[in-house]
Amino acid sequence: MSASQSASPASPSSAPLASVLFVCVHNAGRSQMAAGFLTHLAGDRVEVRSAGSLPGERVNPAAVEAMKEVGVDISAATPKVLTTEAVQASDYVITMGCGDACPVFPGKQYLDWVLDDPAGRGVEAVRPIRDRIRARVEALIAEIDSVRPA
């Protein structure tokens, strides 16, 4: 197949069931771990975004290491700025300590996950945060599946 040829078009059944935006202040820890878990566990069934109200320069190395321990690689992720367009394009907007920085639009499902900030902590302290995020992501996938059956 040459570089100019494209893959076969996606079937209608391959469209994502939902789109999710994870938001935290720096988009360097909690939101990146959540996005990594959702991508890993739901695959292409859910469109995943993450952003921060004041994005950091890089993803927290302790978060990268903690995720690597459970087989999820977020080392290539980069913090992104929160945009109105990202919120508008998402069915679920999950905030993690970003306060009032996240714009609110009608028709979106907003959830606020209260989780410790892993910033400045070592991998030992990040592991329990990672595990709480995984549990919440698994519950989110179950909710999405129940509302929008595959």
Side-chain angles (χ1 to χ4, degrees), residues 8-18 44-45 148-150:
S8 59
S11 66
S13 64
S14 68
L17 298 175
D44 59 4
R45 292 179 20 240
R148 297 173 175 91

Side-chain angles (χ1 to χ4, degrees), residues 103-145:
V104 176
F105 293 98
K108 307 293 175 195
Q109 176 74 34
Y110 288 88
L111 302 170
D112 185 41
W113 291 358
V114 178
L115 297 158
D116 291 336
D117 187 348
R121 298 181 182 199
V123 71
E124 288 287 331
V126 173
R127 286 183 188 122
I129 300 167
R130 172 203 64 200
D131 295 342
R132 284 192 288 281
I133 290 170
R134 182 181 187 127
R136 288 178 184 228
V137 167
E138 288 171 344
L140 177 65
I141 293 168
E143 178 182 329
I144 291 169
D145 286 343

Side-chain angles (χ1 to χ4, degrees), residues 41-105:
L41 297 171
D44 59 4
R45 292 179 20 240
V46 178
E47 184 178 20
V48 181
R49 297 178 181 87
S50 70
S53 52
L54 295 168
E57 293 182 20
R58 63 187 173 116
V59 175
N60 179 334
V64 171
E65 182 61 32
M67 293 297 285
K68 190 179 293 184
E69 291 176 353
V70 295
V72 180
D73 184 4
I74 61 169
S75 63
T78 56
K80 293 169 272 321
V81 69
L82 175 63
T83 65
T84 300
E85 294 77 20
V87 176
Q88 288 175 315
S90 301
D91 299 311
Y92 292 82
V93 179
I94 299 172
T95 59
M96 303 174 196
C98 69
D100 296 329
C102 191
V104 176
F105 293 98

